[in-house]
Amino acid sequence: MGQSSSTHGLSPGSNHRPTTVRSEVFSLITSKDMPTDLLDGSIGSEDYISELPDECLAIIFQSLSSGDRKRCSLVCRRWLLVEGQSRHRLALNAQSELLSHVPTLFTRFDSVTKLALRCDRRSVSVNDDGLILISLRCRNLTRLKLRGCREVTDLGMASIAKNCKSLKKFSCGSCMFGAKGMNALLDNCSSLEELSVKRLRGINDGGGAEPVGPGAASSSLKVICLKELYNGQCFGPLIIGSKKLRTLKLLRCLGDWDRLLEMIATPKNSLVEIHLERLQVSDIGLSALSNCLDLEILHIVKTPECTNVGVITIAEHCKLLRKLHIDGWRTNRIGNDGLLSIAKHSANLQELVLIGVNPSSVSLEAIASNCQRLERLALCGSETIADGEISCIAAKCVALKKLCIKGCPVSDEGIEAFAWGCPNLVKIKVKKCRGVTFEVGDWLRAKRGSLVVNLDVCAVEAEAVDASASDSGPHEDGVEFPPIGGRVGIADAEAPSSSNGRGGSAFKSRFGLFGGRSLVPCAFRRWSNGNSSSSNGSS
């Protein structure tokens, strides 16, 4: 069957009626919606659910989880019909067999506005015929996600663009269509606000690639995310032409991006959030981004050509900066000078993540003293953050609410400082710090009963510190910052697809830059001090 488990086994003629499900829904209705004078012994002889309008029943279904909705649809024909008509999100297994089931599926689910089509790498995906038929049945789509649909070409994308002009969010990964299909989407979907493209195989690798954009969508696009593209620069016209662009994420894309960043970052731009990860970008690009005067969120992750010079330029010009993530990859090119400038100019800073950076007590004290709004702090993989630095944070970061310390030479003595410091602290997580024991965690909980203390001291040797922002990023370091995308029920059609297939491995093996460990070893030796030569394994 081409349909996902969210619709598997359902048919209008089904005789399976689980009484437990009906009784649970009945209990929900009577406990919340029925007057108390009806809750007596006579209620068992009346079927109040049958008297509920379809609209009320649909609202109840929408409050249930995906699995409960699926079970409720098996109760009777009416529930099957109402559940289908009230379902706006759908995730389908997009294998080739889906084509024969499209008419039946979208006759039942005729109100779908958010659709996810996923196919694993071992299967043949739905082709252009299937996508054309879906586009004709789902003309009101506002969100579409394609994952592993390798049989879809520019022709199928053109049909989506022509028939689903109300799209606001489009995401694709490991697909084979090219620039023509992407341009068709951008030319026809004038309401498109978010575009995410990952491993798009049809975009030619080379200087002769057809440019993408800007198209009609350039007047509405607010978010562009490009990930693991061989020739992502062909999206340059789209990025430059999107005047309302607020969020730009460039993650593990090949090529030199400095020139494009210079063209994007004009004083009139609307950029508020920028992510740069494992990218060939230098201080030239960072200096250009300093023209983004409205910039609030900046991630600089494993970009070894970026130094204190670029960070200082950002700090001096982007006075609205609220969130800053730096993964210095232990190259020691970003350190005290950059952090001192952040402390001096970024009074609005609320969230700071430092990974593979070796600050001194001077720069940390400056940040703790001057960034009085700092609420979330993560310090990971630093050789210079010890008990003295942690005690300084405890004494001076009065607004701090969440703290993560990972892979630093901190001991119980430093953690004990939080028994009195950081009065607003609600959670502290310590991971892979050799000098920290479980005893100090118990002691700290006893001192501050409301403080959540999370210690992981068992697997110090298990893994090196990493902070890839595109997958799990600094979130795995325990600060619990809001993720880019979260897993939800299958009916929500929003669960992230798997990205660990052969394509990703081939990409990493072909390009050492994104493999993590083989990024210009000679440059690492040149940039690093004597202690950092052994830290290349952090990636």
Side-chain angles (χ1 to χ4, degrees), residues 281-527:
V281 61
S282 69
D283 290 334
I284 296 174
L286 287 187
S287 297
L289 292 180
S290 67
N291 289 321
C292 304
L293 302 182
D294 295 328
L295 189 65
E296 297 180 11
I297 302 172
L298 177 62
H299 289 209
I300 308 172
V301 177
K302 297 178 181 177
T303 54
E305 294 182 42
C306 294
T307 72
N308 284 320
V309 174
V311 174
I312 291 172
T313 307
I314 290 285
E316 290 177 346
H317 293 85
C318 303
K319 301 297 182 63
L320 301 180
L321 203 62
R322 294 186 299 109
K323 298 182 181 181
L324 177 62
H325 291 209
I326 299 177
D327 185 345
W329 223 354
R330 296 179 181 175
T331 61
N332 293 327
R333 304 201 82 193
I334 297 177
N336 285 321
D337 292 344
L339 295 178
L340 285 170
S341 184
I342 292 293
K344 180 178 179 181
H345 299 287
S346 302
N348 294 313
L349 196 66
Q350 298 175 2
E351 178 176 305
L352 178 63
V353 176
L354 299 177
I355 302 167
V357 176
N358 291 323
S360 70
S361 57
V362 175
S363 57
L364 278 180
E365 183 176 0
I367 289 174
S369 300
N370 299 335
C371 300
Q372 291 296 304
R373 299 183 182 180
L374 190 64
E375 296 181 353
R376 296 175 295 278
L377 176 63
L379 304 170
C380 309
S382 172
E383 300 171 351
T384 59
I385 297 177
D387 292 337
E389 289 72 23
I390 295 301
S391 298
C392 175
I393 291 170
K396 297 193 175 184
C397 289
V398 294
L400 198 65
K401 294 181 179 179
K402 295 184 179 181
L403 173 65
C404 171
I405 307 169
K406 179 178 179 181
C408 298
V410 177
S411 72
D412 288 352
E413 182 179 348
I415 303 303
E416 288 174 358
F418 293 102
W420 302 277
C422 296
N424 293 300
L425 195 65
V426 296
K427 182 173 182 178
I428 179 172
K429 181 171 183 177
V430 182
K431 188 174 183 180
K432 298 181 175 62
C433 295
R434 296 176 183 273
V436 178
T437 65
F438 281 119
E439 286 74 14
V440 75
D442 296 335
W443 179 84
L444 189 57
R445 292 185 191 97
K447 288 288 185 179
R448 298 182 63 169
S450 61
L451 181 63
V452 177
V453 181
N454 189 337
L455 298 185
D456 179 7
V457 297
C458 294
V460 175
E461 309 260 356
E463 61 184 72
V465 175
D466 194 5
S468 176
S470 65
D471 295 320
S472 59
H475 320 304
E476 72 174 7
D477 291 320
V479 194
E480 291 188 348
F481 305 140
I484 295 173
R487 182 173 298 276
V488 295
I490 191 168
D492 293 330
E494 296 293 333
S497 61
S498 173
S499 60
N500 297 323
R502 297 174 184 169
S505 300
F507 189 92
K508 293 179 181 179
S509 62
R510 180 178 175 184
F511 300 99
L513 173 62
F514 308 111
R517 302 193 178 193
S518 57
L519 174 59
V520 198
C522 60
F524 268 74
R525 290 191 292 271
R526 185 168 62 252
W527 293 333

Side-chain angles (χ1 to χ4, degrees), residues 250-269:
L250 303 174
L251 314 175
R252 305 194 296 273
C253 293
L254 287 181
D256 188 344
W257 289 87
D258 281 340
R259 177 57 181 161
L260 183 59
L261 292 180
E262 287 181 306
M263 297 174 69
I264 296 168
T266 63
K268 295 182 179 180
N269 73 79

Side-chain angles (χ1 to χ4, degrees), residues 84-158:
Q85 292 176 341
S86 63
R87 189 184 285 263
H88 302 299
R89 302 186 181 193
L90 195 63
L92 297 176
N93 183 356
Q95 295 181 10
S96 57
E97 293 86 356
L98 175 63
L99 177 60
S100 61
H101 300 287
V102 168
T104 302
L105 277 170
F106 291 101
T107 296
R108 177 187 170 194
F109 301 109
D110 57 358
S111 301
V112 171
T113 59
K114 302 170 186 178
L115 178 64
L117 301 174
R118 303 186 180 94
C119 184
D120 64 75
R121 59 185 175 85
R122 295 177 296 275
S123 305
V124 178
S125 77
V126 66
N127 58 16
D128 289 338
D129 292 337
L131 203 61
I132 292 171
L133 192 54
I134 289 174
S135 71
L136 292 171
R137 292 275 185 161
C138 302
R139 292 183 179 270
N140 295 322
L141 279 183
T142 59
R143 298 185 187 181
L144 177 61
K145 180 181 292 185
L146 304 179
R147 289 291 184 272
C149 297
R150 290 171 292 276
E151 302 302 317
V152 172
T153 70
D154 292 334
L155 180 62
M157 287 301 301

